[in-house]
Amino acid sequence: MTQLPGLLDTEALRKDFPILDRQVHDGQKLVYLDNAATSQKPRQVLDALSEYYERYNANVHRGVHVLAEEATALYEGARDKVAEFINAPSRDEVIFTKNASESLNLVANMLGWADEPYRVDSETEIVITEMEHHSNIVPWQLLAQRTGAKLKWFGLTDDGRLDLSNIDQVITEKTKIVSFVLVSNILGTQNPVEAIVRRAQEVGALVCVDASQAAPHMPLDVQALQADFVAFTGHKMCGPTGIGVLWGRQELLEDLPPFLGGGEMIETVSMHSSTYAPAPHKFEAGTPPIAQAVGLGAAIDYLNSIGMDKIFAHEHALTEYAVKRLLEVPDIRIIGPTTAEERGAAISFTLGDIHPHDVGQVLDEQGIAVRVGHHCARPVCLRYGIPATTRASFYLYSTPAEIDALVDGLEHVRNFFG
Amino acid sequence: MTQLPGLLDTEALRKDFPILDRQVHDGQKLVYLDNAATSQKPRQVLDALSEYYERYNANVHRGVHVLAEEATALYEGARDKVAEFINAPSRDEVIFTKNASESLNLVANMLGWADEPYRVDSETEIVITEMEHHSNIVPWQLLAQRTGAKLKWFGLTDDGRLDLSNIDQVITEKTKIVSFVLVSNILGTQNPVEAIVRRAQEVGALVCVDASQAAPHMPLDVQALQADFVAFTGHKMCGPTGIGVLWGRQELLEDLPPFLGGGEMIETVSMHSSTYAPAPHKFEAGTPPIAQAVGLGAAIDYLNSIGMDKIFAHEHALTEYAVKRLLEVPDIRIIGPTTAEERGAAISFTLGDIHPHDVGQVLDEQGIAVRVGHHCARPVCLRYGIPATTRASFYLYSTPAEIDALVDGLEHVRNFFG
Amino acid sequence: MYQEVILDHYKHPHGRGLRDGDAEVHHVNPTCGDEITLRVKYDGTTIEDVSYEGQGCSISQASASVLNELLVGKDLSDARKIQETFLELMQSKGKLEPDDAMEEILEDAVAFAGVSKYPARVKCALLSWMAWKDATAQVLGGADAEKETTA
Amino acid sequence: MYQEVILDHYKHPHGRGLRDGDAEVHHVNPTCGDEITLRVKYDGTTIEDVSYEGQGCSISQASASVLNELLVGKDLSDARKIQETFLELMQSKGKLEPDDAMEEILEDAVAFAGVSKYPARVKCALLSWMAWKDATAQVLGGADAEKETTA
Ligand SMILES: Cc1ncc(COP(=O)(O)O)c(C=O)c1O
Ligand SMILES: Cc1ncc(COP(=O)(O)O)c(C=O)c1O
């Protein structure tokens, strides 16, 4: 078996993930390399979910009975865990949403309805990049359409990095918000936050970071990032589906208007007018994803018990190995950085002129789960003149043996269609 | 033991709900009468959740690997179950949201951004009622503020019913949307849909029904309702937290603009513009609450296995018994209808001048979980000149013995503060 | 949580009713609707009277009664000390076992220790104290002048 | 799902390339980016040629090749029958076992039966057929005139 420095003890870890034992297609061992789409969940998270429903389930806040108090303590306890995980200055800066997409839409909508100095309107500009996930493109397109603001973006270099050469023309005095991805889900690229934040601060623009592919894989420190908003999603970091996070700076959350209206987010309601609770509740309308927050808290405990720096080192070693092995496959073209530096553990590629659908399907027949398509980042495919890619992506339980299986699988694909 | 006609076999049913065996405060048996806030979950639902995560978990749509296809089939299968449960003409009319509040905000936002003839603007009027949950008030207040539309509402009669005497003045040619609750979560009142729909249709207004307190408790037929939108929430009907439903008529969903933008809801994206997928996907941005939809599907299977008409009969019998028994308690005042006719199984009351917080707390010490406060319907408290109420609410596993325990508990409260 | 002392104050409140004062405030606990109108009257830095009227649960009513009993006649600096100690106790989430020193400062108010275990009720217990702090700031200004909210 | 027949058509496509035609359509499968440009040429109601060019997976490519092989030279009514039968097969979710009658109609196209089990791939297999139907409607109008979408 391949030994790489910095790997986790995956043999032990994999026992925590029941699904990894699954066999598919009559006896093929599952090789799950679709972690950028969603991660698998450890027993510890599933147990936390079951325990919540079997012992504590109640609606949160304002209840005076035991279950309501326990459920509230668990839900708010999950908020504490998230705050600590991202080094938030205050727990009140952590807003629970349903997924990263809602988090990003929340930012866009707050700015659309905000008063000055935050208000996005026809005199102002919004900046994104060409490597964004659709969830960080469409909300801004909608905002631009609805307010008349101008949408601008950074292009990409041939080797899959942001082209910041024209940063002073892209981010200008008119820019109100710069929203970009920390680690790309299609290219794997890790972006240089500092340069962008510095320029944004120069012109007084807010910065929103889409950390959906970062939070699961590396230490995340919102204070070090110096961003104003950071969004991520629970299901990619060992947590349940149905839960996302938006972190925002307290002053902003105080100043900005609410988005969804309803129970929980109010201070006092009359038929004529309402006032709103302080953040984070102001942005959490209706019964929140209680069990899912508890599950995310358990996921964070799990990740912490391993250590985010160790997880990062593990994936970095795997990525280095994977890039090397993949480049041995004839006709392969990696879309994105071809080294493991400043990149995450999602690797997209094309294989000659074999269509990614066919690559994915034949890999699947061997039990290897990868994702094929435009990965909700179609502008990247357009940029590189390809219809789609095949993407393999790793997580803390991934192994060099699975990368070997992928490479063997690709050989089989080539022979099959050769 | 009290025997009432029409009761379910709760002894058998309660075995499905692990939490109902819980003891609180050192040995008090839990008497859970807070079902209008959230319901408990049967084993069958928890098993479906675990099974999903342990065997099928993957991101849905567009995957060509086994897990992705199975997860997609399960998620879309849940949509089929919901469609059948509410007798929707088409499965494509069922949108998954995170809760009823999001569903209602979705309707309000669609209409705010819509083209004619749906557009809500400063020339138009929105109609709600004084008994709405905050989640069906605040979204409309926000819409009215942001568009300049006028918000109007139906008042309440002294016995807790809608006052429709001025219906022709409230709903006028200017009305674009009438949104109201089918069964009130605070008063218990079941509202006369037909009269309102008839008038709305006369003036060409759309109708949105908040069925959050109806879907869990009685057969729901969106075609019979003749509404245009129907919203409800999973956690009140034996399903998980983190999932809600919006049903909408197909032509409307085709014509109306999207709300949240992101992955899943698009057809094709370029940096310059995007087109949207057909409904329901157009309204489901980002990774949906996959496991929660599967859980809601299991909840629906569970409810169907009992029968919604039987559940309704059970709760009706309990409500009749509860109203009778509660009215025996000195100084009690039921806020809402004092008979079981045209009402659901949530009963609000005040007890002399003992504050509901104290009522709830002393009941809790006896293991009896009720909700106290304004129940996210503060205008109702204002209307009846009370600061808050105590609310007991029943579900399919509630028993006459639990109602007896409540009545005994209230006696104890009276003595305690007497 | 319902200590005898609390029930006593609830059933037989001290100094209830609105009397003459130097400042009046109205505080509301929006989550449960508890309300209090409170007036303070100072003679220099001596608290001459704290009068109040309101509606709410036994905890918020009893707490206002205890406040009246403890603070009237005290000098502001002593009163502040009591208020801060009470705040500390209420925010202790049931983890603070009042010692003799604390009992000496808080007198009847130590009976609220049990309430601190119930997050939903802590605000009820603090309502009148926050109102007093606010009203005092209006009369005497100073470090207390920042607006306090009980929300 | 990758039957020999399918791979054969993929590697050695029939009638690929764009030739003269009476109408041209361009269809895209937005979920995977498969594209086809297709032209039809009619002699009365006889299909004289179906020419095409596109990019996509083996399934969509092979399906276009099979379409060309099956439809060229046929009368429109026969072609419609084939198209409808193919559609039925593809929408069967793997539950339809092609019988002799179906095999006679579909010839090589029965090889796609296995594809119908894979919802993500059904649209690939139908892409060229929907394009053909659309192009035919443009030339001949009639019942096919409603715009078909392959989305
Ligand atoms: C009548 C009514 N409408 C709407 C809601 C909101 O549901 P949710 O909190 O799940 O969004 C509730 C429940 O709290 C309700 O009772
Ligand atoms: C970079 C990035 N941003 C945003 C998202 C959206 O996350 P979600 O689908 O959970 O809303 C994803 C995942 O799909 C992603 O990879």
Side-chain angles (χ1 to χ4, degrees):
Chain A
M1 256 186 43
T2 313
Q3 288 300 336
L4 305 173
L7 288 192
L8 294 166
D9 178 2
T10 47
E11 208 174 315
L13 287 176
R14 291 174 73 90
K15 297 213 174 80
D16 293 332
F17 294 81
I19 206 172
L20 297 180
D21 281 338
R22 217 194 122 172
Q23 304 204 328
V24 293
H25 295 306
D26 304 321
Q28 298 283 356
K29 206 167 143 24
L30 173 66
V31 175
Y32 185 74
L33 300 180
D34 193 16
N35 292 287
T38 200
S39 74
Q40 297 305 339
K41 325 299 175 201
R43 210 172 17 79
Q44 288 83 340
V45 168
L46 306 188
D47 289 350
L49 289 174
S50 297
E51 195 192 6
Y52 171 77
Y53 285 125
E54 286 175 11
R55 288 192 57 77
Y56 306 112
N57 176 65
N59 213 324
V60 292
H61 303 305
R62 293 172 204 185
V64 296
H65 60 78
V66 184
L67 296 186
E69 276 172 355
E70 290 172 343
T72 303
L74 285 166
Y75 176 67
E76 293 299 333
R79 199 189 304 280
D80 292 327
K81 290 180 188 182
V82 172
E84 201 197 310
F85 186 71
I86 61 174
N87 193 28
S90 159
R91 68 184 304 282
D92 293 335
E93 298 177 336
V94 173
I95 300 165
F96 285 123
T97 60
K98 68 175 173 176
N99 54 25
S101 303
E102 186 192 348
S103 302
L104 294 163
N105 279 276
L106 171 50
V107 178
N109 277 275
M110 287 192 290
L111 299 182
W113 294 117
D115 292 327
E116 288 304 342
Y118 308 114
R119 191 177 182 83
V120 168
D121 59 26
S122 61
E123 301 298 301
T124 62
E125 295 177 354
I126 300 162
V127 172
I128 59 174
T129 87
E130 205 176 357
M131 69 165 82
E132 298 310 313
H133 189 279
H134 292 163
S135 293
N136 201 25
I137 299 177
V138 183
W140 304 110
Q141 288 181 336
L142 287 170
L143 180 65
Q145 277 164 30
R146 289 169 180 180
T147 60
K150 185 166 171 197
L151 182 64
K152 295 163 80 178
W153 55 88
F154 289 105
L156 306 182
T157 64
D158 287 344
D159 56 347
R161 306 253 171 214
L162 279 187
D163 176 6
L164 297 180
S165 60
N166 56 348
I167 188 166
D168 291 350
Q169 285 78 58
V170 175
I171 302 180
T172 71
E173 296 290 334
K174 287 187 164 178
T175 309
K176 286 282 179 137
I177 174 85
V178 182
S179 188
F180 65 97
V181 74
L182 184 46
V183 177
S184 157
N185 69 306
I186 177 166
L187 297 168
T189 316
Q190 184 176 344
N191 287 318
V193 178
E194 213 188 306
I196 300 173
V197 166
R198 199 183 316 121
R199 174 64 187 157
Q201 288 180 344
E202 230 170 72
V203 301
L206 297 177
V207 172
C208 175
V209 171
D210 175 1
S212 302
Q213 297 290 345
H217 303 292
M218 56 186 69
L220 185 65
D221 179 335
V222 296
Q223 298 189 56
L225 283 180
Q226 290 201 50
D228 299 290
F229 301 102
V230 175
F232 53 98
T233 198
H235 65 91
K236 295 191 203 280
M237 51 192 288
C238 294
T241 58
I243 182 98
V245 172
L246 178 69
W247 169 84
R249 277 203 297 114
Q250 188 132 27
E251 315 86 85
L252 293 173
L253 297 185
E254 272 162 26
D255 288 355
L256 290 168
F259 174 39
L260 302 180
E264 300 291 339
M265 58 72 76
I266 56 94
E267 187 182 62
T268 176
V269 172
S270 77
M271 294 308 287
H272 294 278
S273 69
S274 301
T275 56
Y276 309 116
H281 302 292
K282 179 161 84 175
F283 302 103
E284 295 182 353
T287 303
I290 308 170
Q292 292 73 37
V294 173
L296 178 58
I300 285 176
D301 287 343
Y302 183 79
L303 294 174
N304 282 338
S305 75
I306 302 172
M308 290 310 297
D309 45 352
K310 296 226 175 76
I311 291 171
F312 180 71
H314 173 80
E315 294 183 22
H316 186 73
L318 283 182
T319 303
E320 205 157 39
Y321 181 67
V323 167
K324 184 179 110 269
R325 294 270 358 238
L326 284 170
L327 288 175
E328 291 164 18
V329 178
D331 303 331
I332 209 162
R333 173 182 167 206
I334 289 183
I335 309 296
T338 51
T339 69
E341 304 322 305
E342 302 290 304
R343 77 155 12 263
I347 307 179
S348 272
F349 55 85
T350 59
L351 190 64
D353 54 10
I354 306 175
H355 194 280
H357 263 193
D358 290 319
V359 177
Q361 196 92 47
V362 174
L363 288 176
D364 175 60
E365 285 171 4
Q366 301 165 72
I368 302 166
V370 295
R371 188 132 306 221
V372 299
H374 51 50
H375 314 289
C376 292
R378 188 164 169 274
V380 169
C381 293
L382 294 178
R383 163 65 178 83
Y384 294 105
I386 48 176
T389 78
T390 302
R391 181 185 70 189
S393 54
F394 314 121
Y395 205 14
L396 53 92
Y397 38 70
S398 303
T399 67
E402 290 182 317
I403 292 168
D404 295 337
L406 171 66
V407 170
D408 293 348
L410 290 173
E411 276 305 330
H412 181 70
V413 171
R414 289 186 63 246
N415 294 335
F416 193 82
F417 292 106
Chain B
M1 258 186 40
T2 313
Q3 287 300 337
L4 306 173
L7 289 192
L8 293 167
D9 178 1
T10 47
E11 208 173 316
L13 286 177
R14 290 174 73 90
K15 297 212 174 79
D16 293 331
F17 294 82
I19 206 172
L20 297 179
D21 280 337
R22 219 195 119 170
Q23 304 204 327
V24 293
H25 296 306
D26 305 322
Q28 297 282 357
K29 204 167 142 26
L30 173 67
V31 175
Y32 185 75
L33 299 180
D34 192 17
N35 292 286
T38 200
S39 75
Q40 298 304 340
K41 325 299 174 201
R43 209 174 14 80
Q44 289 83 342
V45 168
L46 305 188
D47 289 350
L49 289 174
S50 298
E51 194 192 7
Y52 170 77
Y53 285 125
E54 287 175 12
R55 288 192 58 78
Y56 307 112
N57 176 64
N59 213 325
V60 292
H61 303 302
R62 292 172 205 186
V64 297
H65 60 79
V66 183
L67 295 186
E69 275 171 355
E70 290 172 343
T72 304
L74 285 166
Y75 177 68
E76 293 299 332
R79 200 189 303 280
D80 292 328
K81 289 179 187 180
V82 172
E84 200 196 311
F85 185 71
I86 61 175
N87 194 28
S90 158
R91 68 183 306 280
D92 294 335
E93 298 178 336
V94 173
I95 299 165
F96 285 123
T97 61
K98 68 173 172 178
N99 54 26
S101 303
E102 186 191 349
S103 301
L104 294 163
N105 279 276
L106 172 50
V107 177
N109 278 274
M110 287 192 291
L111 299 182
W113 295 118
D115 292 326
E116 289 303 343
Y118 307 115
R119 189 175 183 86
V120 169
D121 60 26
S122 60
E123 301 298 299
T124 62
E125 295 177 354
I126 301 162
V127 172
I128 60 174
T129 87
E130 206 176 356
M131 69 165 82
E132 297 311 312
H133 189 279
H134 293 163
S135 294
N136 200 26
I137 299 177
V138 184
W140 304 110
Q141 287 181 338
L142 287 170
L143 181 65
Q145 277 163 31
R146 290 170 179 178
T147 59
K150 185 165 173 199
L151 183 64
K152 296 163 79 177
W153 56 87
F154 287 106
L156 307 181
T157 65
D158 287 343
D159 55 346
R161 305 249 171 221
L162 279 187
D163 175 5
L164 296 180
S165 60
N166 56 350
I167 188 166
D168 291 350
Q169 285 78 58
V170 176
I171 302 179
T172 70
E173 296 290 334
K174 287 187 164 180
T175 309
K176 286 282 179 135
I177 173 84
V178 182
S179 188
F180 66 97
V181 73
L182 186 46
V183 177
S184 159
N185 69 306
I186 177 167
L187 298 167
T189 316
Q190 183 175 344
N191 287 318
V193 178
E194 211 187 307
I196 301 173
V197 167
R198 199 183 318 118
R199 175 63 186 157
Q201 288 180 345
E202 229 170 74
V203 301
L206 297 177
V207 172
C208 174
V209 171
D210 175 1
S212 302
Q213 296 289 346
H217 303 291
M218 56 187 67
L220 185 65
D221 179 335
V222 296
Q223 297 190 58
L225 283 181
Q226 290 202 50
D228 298 290
F229 301 102
V230 175
F232 53 98
T233 198
H235 66 90
K236 294 190 203 282
M237 52 192 286
C238 294
T241 58
I243 182 102
V245 172
L246 178 68
W247 169 85
R249 276 203 297 115
Q250 187 130 30
E251 316 85 84
L252 293 173
L253 298 184
E254 272 162 27
D255 288 354
L256 290 168
F259 174 37
L260 304 180
E264 298 293 338
M265 56 72 78
I266 56 94
E267 187 181 61
T268 177
V269 172
S270 77
M271 294 307 287
H272 294 276
S273 69
S274 301
T275 55
Y276 309 117
H281 302 292
K282 177 161 85 176
F283 302 103
E284 295 182 354
T287 303
I290 308 171
Q292 292 74 37
V294 173
L296 179 58
I300 285 175
D301 287 344
Y302 183 79
L303 295 173
N304 282 338
S305 75
I306 302 171
M308 290 309 297
D309 46 351
K310 296 226 176 76
I311 292 172
F312 180 72
H314 173 80
E315 294 183 22
H316 186 75
L318 283 181
T319 304
E320 205 156 39
Y321 180 67
V323 168
K324 183 177 111 280
R325 294 269 1 238
L326 284 170
L327 289 176
E328 291 163 19
V329 178
D331 302 330
I332 209 163
R333 174 182 167 206
I334 289 182
I335 310 295
T338 51
T339 69
E341 303 323 305
E342 302 289 306
R343 79 158 6 263
I347 307 180
S348 272
F349 55 86
T350 59
L351 190 64
D353 52 12
I354 307 174
H355 194 280
H357 264 193
D358 291 320
V359 177
Q361 198 91 46
V362 174
L363 288 176
D364 174 60
E365 286 171 2
Q366 301 165 70
I368 302 166
V370 295
R371 186 130 309 219
V372 299
H374 51 49
H375 315 289
C376 293
R378 188 164 171 273
V380 170
C381 293
L382 295 178
R383 163 66 177 81
Y384 294 106
I386 47 176
T389 79
T390 303
R391 181 186 69 189
S393 53
F394 315 120
Y395 205 15
L396 53 92
Y397 39 69
S398 303
T399 66
E402 291 182 315
I403 292 168
D404 295 339
L406 170 67
V407 170
D408 292 349
L410 290 174
E411 276 306 329
H412 180 70
V413 171
R414 290 185 63 246
N415 294 334
F416 193 81
F417 293 104
Chain C
M1 83 189 251
Y2 293 108
Q3 303 286 318
E4 266 317 314
V5 180
I6 295 181
L7 285 177
D8 262 6
H9 276 278
Y10 170 54
K11 291 179 189 163
H12 313 289
H14 285 246
R16 197 184 163 92
L18 283 175
R19 293 171 296 277
D20 202 26
D22 305 323
E24 173 180 310
V25 296
H26 179 75
H27 274 215
V28 177
N29 179 345
T31 60
C32 64
D34 282 5
E35 295 189 21
I36 193 164
T37 305
L38 180 143
R39 292 184 191 159
V40 289
K41 191 163 169 53
Y42 278 90
D43 177 7
T45 58
T46 304
I47 300 171
E48 220 179 89
D49 193 15
V50 182
S51 63
Y52 63 93
E53 216 167 63
Q55 58 174 9
C57 64
S58 59
I59 301 297
S60 71
Q61 301 291 304
S63 168
S65 166
V66 167
L67 178 147
N68 173 286
E69 191 179 67
L70 281 184
L71 301 196
V72 171
K74 291 264 179 6
D75 187 77
L76 179 59
S77 59
D78 294 338
R80 279 213 175 116
K81 172 104 201 174
I82 296 170
Q83 190 265 342
E84 280 157 20
T85 311
F86 187 67
L87 186 65
E88 186 193 344
L89 179 65
M90 294 319 296
Q91 291 177 341
S92 70
K93 301 189 174 169
K95 283 178 196 130
L96 205 155
E97 190 60 58
D99 57 11
D100 288 355
M102 190 176 250
E103 283 197 26
E104 199 161 306
I105 296 169
L106 290 183
E107 303 180 30
D108 274 8
V110 287
F112 287 82
V115 176
S116 72
K117 270 182 285 193
Y118 298 85
R121 308 303 296 278
V122 168
K123 284 175 188 166
C124 308
L126 289 175
L127 185 67
S128 53
W129 294 82
M130 291 302 181
W132 171 79
K133 200 178 165 195
D134 194 10
T136 297
Q138 286 187 23
V139 180
L140 301 175
D144 287 321
E146 333 95 67
K147 170 98 181 67
E148 286 286 334
T149 152
T150 58
Chain D
M1 82 191 250
Y2 293 108
Q3 303 287 318
E4 268 316 315
V5 180
I6 294 181
L7 285 176
D8 262 6
H9 275 279
Y10 171 54
K11 290 177 191 165
H12 312 288
H14 284 248
R16 197 183 163 91
L18 283 176
R19 294 172 295 276
D20 202 28
D22 305 325
E24 173 180 309
V25 296
H26 179 75
H27 275 216
V28 176
N29 179 346
T31 60
C32 64
D34 282 4
E35 295 189 19
I36 193 163
T37 306
L38 180 144
R39 291 184 190 158
V40 288
K41 191 163 169 54
Y42 278 91
D43 178 6
T45 59
T46 303
I47 300 171
E48 219 180 273
D49 194 14
V50 182
S51 63
Y52 63 94
E53 217 167 61
Q55 60 174 7
C57 64
S58 59
I59 301 298
S60 71
Q61 301 290 304
S63 167
S65 167
V66 168
L67 178 146
N68 172 285
E69 191 180 68
L70 280 183
L71 300 195
V72 172
K74 292 265 179 6
D75 187 78
L76 179 58
S77 60
D78 293 337
R80 282 215 171 113
K81 172 105 200 175
I82 295 170
Q83 190 266 341
E84 280 155 20
T85 310
F86 187 67
L87 186 65
E88 186 193 344
L89 179 63
M90 293 320 296
Q91 292 177 338
S92 70
K93 302 189 173 168
K95 285 181 194 126
L96 205 156
E97 190 60 59
D99 57 11
D100 288 356
M102 190 176 251
E103 283 196 27
E104 199 161 308
I105 296 170
L106 290 183
E107 302 180 32
D108 274 8
V110 288
F112 287 81
V115 176
S116 72
K117 269 183 284 194
Y118 298 85
R121 308 303 297 276
V122 168
K123 284 175 189 167
C124 308
L126 287 176
L127 185 66
S128 53
W129 294 82
M130 291 303 183
W132 171 78
K133 200 177 166 195
D134 195 9
T136 297
Q138 286 186 24
V139 181
L140 300 175
D144 287 319
E146 333 95 67
K147 167 101 182 66
E148 285 287 333
T149 154
T150 57

